[in-house]
Amino acid sequence: MNKKATIQRAAELAGVSIASVSRALNDKPGISVSKREEILSICRELGYVPHSLRMLPPKSGIVAVSIGSDVIEESRYMGLLWPALSFALQRTGRRLLPVNTGEMAGNELAGVVLLNVIENDPRVEHLVAKSIPFVSIGSVANQFWVAPDDFNGERMAVEYLIKRGFNRIGCVTHTGNGLVYKHRLQGYRSAMAERQLPTIEFHLEQKHSAELVAYRYFLTIESKSLQELDALVCESDEVAIGIKIALEDRGLNVPKDIAIVGFDGLPRFSKELTTIKQDVNAIAEKAAILLESAIAGEQPVGVVLPVKLKIGQTA
């Protein structure tokens, strides 16, 4: 790393505070998308990488997990993925170490698992430059990655609603630049365009609990905006549940007034939801296998795993 490549220098060049640089690097809310991209670009030019990612060459059985965002760490999905990933890696003789919960000094790594990858993620560039094997849960061009079929999953949700007679279908996602949700949004747009239906999009600020953010937003949104809708597809089950509770608190009936489809198929939490279900255990198993391929120096591959529609009470 360039000796001048410090977070202070990045902040100075970007004309922002050190805290803003940290938010950009960790995909946290509080700055605009354009400013985040500017900061990331400056960090790449400087060769600056946060201390938590300055890792030693891979020699041990330790696998570091880089979450990339405090928001995803708080999610129920992470609570499901983490033990599945830990178990899958144990079967290959590896063990997990979260890189953003402590210093990495003194720990030699076999490889890294990246979560919550964003566009032009500086973590990817750093790992490639240092020849550190890694696998991403979420697509990364020319690298090892595994992901659920986010694009076709959201298309499946829209097509199901259309078959049920709904055509004023909105999509709820957030304002961050995580690739997972962008693929789901693209799937929604594709399905609506194919039927020549107008898109109705709601982009929520990514902060704290997704369930709480969605609840507050739809509890206070103008009634005329809700009147334009007869259904919603949501970026996650947590968002779907937050919206469902908000609509019911406003005196609306789900699915009679507005139908809702979630995404992820979280056990127990999504019991009443109509949702697109992904197989988290299969994702974890495939990630462990691909990481071994990365460690062996094989040609990078990406794997898309199928999802399926689970019919519930909300659509």
Side-chain angles (χ1 to χ4, degrees):
M1 185 184 70
N2 189 321
K3 291 183 179 180
K4 294 183 178 180
T6 64
I7 193 169
Q8 292 86 354
R9 180 58 175 162
E12 179 183 347
L13 291 174
V16 298
S17 65
I18 293 175
S20 293
V21 175
S22 178
R23 291 190 189 99
L25 289 169
N26 291 287
D27 197 26
K28 293 181 180 180
I31 57 175
S32 67
V33 173
S34 60
K35 179 56 72 173
R36 176 181 283 110
E37 290 299 327
E38 179 186 347
I39 292 171
L40 292 178
S41 177
I42 289 171
C43 288
R44 286 193 296 272
E45 292 174 3
L46 287 175
Y48 173 72
V49 176
H51 186 75
S52 62
L53 279 179
R54 297 173 204 165
M55 299 178 270
L56 298 175
K59 292 182 181 179
S60 75
I62 297 174
V63 172
V65 177
S66 178
I67 295 174
S69 169
D70 291 341
V71 176
I72 193 173
E73 188 174 12
E74 298 169 358
S75 74
R76 290 177 174 84
Y77 178 76
M78 179 54 61
L80 183 65
L81 176 62
W82 191 271
L85 188 58
S86 179
F87 179 74
L89 288 169
Q90 284 176 13
R91 294 174 63 179
T92 64
R94 314 287 182 185
R95 63 188 180 90
L96 288 177
L97 180 68
V99 300
N100 62 339
T101 60
E103 296 297 330
M104 292 300 299
N107 292 304
E108 296 182 343
L109 304 173
V112 176
V113 178
L114 293 183
L115 306 177
N116 199 36
V117 178
I118 62 174
E119 290 181 318
N120 302 316
D121 198 312
R123 297 175 298 168
V124 171
E125 186 173 343
H126 172 72
L127 293 173
V128 171
K130 297 297 183 180
S131 299
I132 298 174
F134 72 95
V135 60
S136 169
I137 297 183
S139 62
V140 177
N142 304 315
Q143 304 300 330
F144 286 96
W145 59 268
V146 58
D149 196 345
D150 296 303
F151 178 84
N152 283 310
E154 205 69 280
R155 278 186 57 90
M156 191 185 304
V158 174
E159 289 166 356
Y160 169 75
L161 290 169
I162 291 173
K163 289 179 181 178
R164 293 292 306 276
F166 301 101
N167 54 36
R168 294 178 289 122
I169 304 168
C171 180
V172 187
T173 184
H174 62 62
T175 57
N177 59 345
L179 297 178
V180 170
Y181 300 126
K182 287 198 172 184
H183 293 160
R184 295 178 185 180
L185 177 60
Q186 289 166 358
Y188 161 77
R189 290 172 175 171
S190 171
M192 296 294 281
E194 188 172 289
R195 298 298 185 99
Q196 297 184 331
L197 295 174
T199 58
I200 308 171
E201 299 178 13
F202 301 90
H203 302 287
L204 312 184
E205 184 177 357
Q206 185 185 16
K207 62 179 181 180
H208 308 304
S209 162
E211 184 180 351
L212 179 59
V213 170
Y215 173 80
R216 288 175 171 171
Y217 185 92
F218 278 85
L219 187 66
T220 58
I221 193 173
E222 293 184 2
S223 296
K224 65 178 182 179
S225 296
L226 295 179
Q227 292 168 0
E228 297 176 353
L229 300 168
D230 57 19
L232 286 167
V233 293
C234 304
E235 68 175 34
S236 68
D237 289 344
E238 293 158 303
V239 167
I241 287 293
I243 294 173
K244 178 179 182 294
I245 296 172
L247 296 180
E248 290 173 343
D249 283 354
R250 296 183 65 151
L252 297 172
N253 179 277
V254 177
K256 183 178 179 181
D257 295 317
I258 298 178
I260 297 175
V261 180
F263 204 116
D264 289 331
L266 300 176
R268 295 182 298 278
F269 185 73
S270 65
K271 183 178 180 180
E272 65 185 86
L273 284 177
T274 294
T275 186
I276 301 300
K277 185 176 182 179
Q278 59 174 294
D279 189 336
V280 174
N281 290 325
I283 291 172
E285 290 287 346
K286 182 58 69 173
I289 292 170
L290 291 175
L291 183 59
E292 292 303 308
S293 296
I295 292 170
E298 298 176 8
Q299 189 70 20
V301 295
V303 178
V304 176
L305 295 180
V307 296
K308 61 182 180 180
L309 177 70
K310 182 186 81 68
I311 306 299
Q313 304 169 16
T314 58

